[in-house]
Amino acid sequence: MKEFKNFINGEYVSSASGKTFENRNPVNNSLIGMVHEAGEPEVVAAVAAAKSAMEGPWGKMTQSERIKLLDRVAERINERFDEFLIAECKDTGKPHKIASHIDIPRGAANFKAFSDTLANHPTEAFKLDTPDGKSAVNYGHRTPKGVIAVISPWNLPLLLMTWKVGPALACGNTVVVKPSEETPATATLLGEVMNECGVPKGVYNVVHGFGPNSAGALLTANPDVRAITFTGETRTGETIMRAASVGLRNISLECGGKNPGLVFADCDMDKAIEGTMRSAFVNCGQVCLGTERIYVERSIFEEFVSRLKAGVAKLKLGQPEDPNVDFGPLVSQKHKEKVLSYYRLAVEEGATVVIGGGVPEMGAELNAGAWVEPTIWTGLADDARVINEEIFGPCCHIRPFDTEEEVIALANDTKYGLSATIWTENLSRASRVAEKMEVGIAWVNSWFLRDLRTAFGGAKESGIGREGGTHGLEFYTELKNICIKL
Ligand code: NAD
Ligand code: 6OD
């Protein structure tokens, strides 16, 4: 039986309480292994290891030595690519085809992306005339914050965890990671890579467990954690913000979304269909940036709905390792129940089910898995819960619109503000509409096209703060002004 242990001070550590929980494969609900739940002793030990690593060789390294080490971590992830791939696909059920293009390459790239930013970003400097007729020079100096707690979700486990660990370490901090209880494997495996690459003990630590009354809450309450970076649901973000208020610790919150897709009649229809197939259904719809609300200009509405339906009908469901499979199960039985409850609600709220809406017949080997059908609805009222609440499943509602003003108002009519995707060949319209979107990221004629130097984050209830490029520097370092009287 596989065991997933905590990784503390460079060693794999069992739970002192003996508490473990199951890790199941959502493809067929088979048991992958048991996870050691961290309690108070493990969390305290992990934070203490991270704190003392700041005083050890890690704290004394030059920036270029650190960057070299992190480049080596990226290379080693790539050398052990297949192990990461298999671990990620077992935990999540996602097809190898997806994880080998998105999750694992980005998991490695996140350790390299920050090097250039660090090497090339200047700090400010000002010369000041002083009353004695002389002057002073002021300059900014950045130092690491210290121990950073990284709390991550299950939908893109390695990608979203390293997206924070990469820059945190590049800036000279140490980390304690609390991966999602659903997906412990790749964070655990990364511990081996850190040791192989010679990253000093205590720089990267992992504690397993749940949120409330478990490793997550213990970690965010620990006073030696100097900042908390979180990706997950908005309600959890609020809880973490409350925990961080004790001791005035800094937070970066990347939270939920209910993102609109806006399809104008002047779009390139092939591109819009191809893009919407991805934005609504890739990763079984479990991408925070995904589009669960699609608005299509009335003159092309019928064509768009029928072409998207045809695209969904062609999706191949099946075992992750099959190279032709492009659609896997949801992450867990619990999430399947949540998504199916929205499938039922959509019908109760008066939706027309264009395709899907249920559980697919997968055959005896897979029927116990967390499978649901990719689903398209039309016909819901704008105040329907299905249109306003984040489902985080492979589903979207499509609604016609008549004018640009109308679709801008509809797109912004949400408490969330993560992303918007706009399909038009008219560039003036594209920039005009994109500027009006109340979101952190607006894509035009593309979706989830990421340049890691750019700002990433959410507006409204989708988050607080921005990471990526120089924006990450703001969160992962303390900026001090040094004033020298000359
Ligand atoms: P979640 O909020 O349930 O859990 C995320 C992490 O927080 C997990 O590790 C969990 O154990 C931990 N946690 C839960 N309660 C906690 C507490 N009280 N204290 C400390 N830690 C706690 O989210 P999820 O279900 O894992 O992920 C799906 C959600 O994440 C969706 O809402 C999705 O939109 C969002 N998400 C956002 C982004 C983004 O970049 N904005 C990216 C991916 C996912
Ligand atoms: O690409 C990224 O850096 C990122 N944070 C993606 C988030 C995806 C949400 O599921």
Side-chain angles (χ1 to χ4, degrees), residues 151-155 160 178-181 209-212 216-217 220 230-234 236 239-240 254-257 288 390 392 418 456 462:
I151 302 191
S152 48
W154 45 257
N155 62 321
L160 290 173
K178 211 299 279 167
S180 168
E181 53 275 29
F210 305 85
T220 55
F230 165 78
T231 306
E233 283 186 9
T234 297
T236 314
T239 306
I240 286 176
E254 296 178 353
C255 299
C288 60
E390 183 187 47
F392 218 52
L418 191 52
F456 184 91
S462 289

Side-chain angles (χ1 to χ4, degrees), residues 237-288:
E238 289 174 349
T239 306
I240 286 176
M241 201 168 167
R242 277 192 287 274
S245 72
V246 180
L248 291 188
R249 279 95 46 79
N250 210 345
I251 43 163
S252 169
L253 304 179
E254 296 178 353
C255 299
K258 186 76 180 177
N259 313 300
L262 292 71
V263 187
F264 289 93
D266 56 13
C267 73
D268 176 321
M269 180 68 103
D270 291 345
K271 285 190 214 157
I273 292 291
E274 192 273 332
T276 308
M277 282 301 296
R278 290 197 306 116
S279 68
F281 302 110
V282 83
N283 208 36
C284 202
Q286 302 164 118
V287 181
C288 60

Side-chain angles (χ1 to χ4, degrees), residues 106 110 155-156 159-160 163 254 286-289 392 448 450 452 456:
R106 261 297 299 279
N110 284 337
N155 62 321
L156 300 161
L159 185 159
L160 290 173
W163 162 244
E254 296 178 353
Q286 302 164 118
V287 181
C288 60
L289 307 156
F392 218 52
F448 205 172
R450 293 280 287 113
L452 304 188
F456 184 91

Side-chain angles (χ1 to χ4, degrees), residues 420-437:
T421 302
I422 301 159
W423 298 94
T424 173
E425 292 295 298
N426 177 338
L427 283 188
S428 302
R429 184 204 297 279
S431 77
R432 192 169 60 231
V433 175
E435 285 177 18
K436 294 209 171 112
M437 292 293 100

Side-chain angles (χ1 to χ4, degrees), residues 289 416-420 437-442 455-460 462 466:
L289 307 156
Y416 292 111
L418 191 52
S419 77
M437 292 293 100
E438 296 167 358
V439 295
I441 306 149
F456 184 91
K460 292 152 83 175
S462 289
R466 295 290 182 271

